[in-house]
Amino acid sequence: MDGIRIGTAAGRPLRTRAAAAGAALLTVAAGLAVRSVVGGEFAARSGTALYTVLVYTLVVVAAPRARPVMVAGVALGVSWAVEFLQLSGVPAELSARSWPARMVLGSTFDPADLPWYAVGAALGWLAHVAVRAIGAPARDR
């Protein structure tokens, strides 16, 4: 057979990408739900962590064979980079003109967000490791 067989090692990246894309959708839904149901400080901080979880899932979509610790590092680095970019004022200017820019880039730097990004990276890592352990054949555990 020339096609990708889903049950084989060759099919694992495809399954991983699909699972990560599903996790990305669930992460967005969770963020919107928390924001609409709870609100306040809890919604703001959990939304910050979920931002990094979303970045984590998108990194897995792009690089499904990457090790969880590397994905966590990239997700945390991207999240921190976006936060520090807010010091430049560019995200605020773009956010004033565009709802998607506001969702992706935010607008103002908040140092209190930095540890919450680390929480999101840790949550993504924990979920990734758990899913890999559950899905791994017994000989690979």
Side-chain angles (χ1 to χ4, degrees):
M1 289 190 173
D2 291 338
I4 293 177
R5 290 174 291 171
I6 300 299
T8 67
R12 286 191 192 128
L14 182 60
R15 283 191 317 209
T16 301
R17 280 190 171 108
L25 293 174
L26 287 174
T27 301
V28 170
L32 293 172
V34 168
R35 188 173 212 150
S36 66
V37 173
V38 179
E41 188 69 17
F42 177 78
R45 299 305 171 206
S46 61
T48 300
L50 287 170
Y51 178 90
T52 303
V53 172
L54 178 61
V55 173
Y56 190 108
T57 62
L58 296 176
V59 172
V60 174
V61 168
R65 293 184 179 175
R67 295 179 320 153
V69 70
M70 294 300 293
V71 177
V74 169
L76 181 58
V78 167
S79 298
W80 281 351
V82 169
E83 188 69 31
F84 282 108
L85 179 65
Q86 292 170 354
L87 290 170
S88 73
V90 171
E93 187 176 319
L94 294 172
S95 293
R97 298 182 204 165
S98 166
W99 178 83
R102 186 169 46 251
M103 293 296 103
V104 173
L105 300 174
S107 60
T108 56
F109 177 77
D110 183 357
D113 285 346
L114 298 173
W116 288 101
Y117 292 127
V119 169
L123 290 172
W125 176 83
L126 283 171
H128 194 176
V129 168
V131 168
R132 287 178 100 186
I134 291 167
R139 70 179 184 281
D140 292 343
R141 288 186 198 164

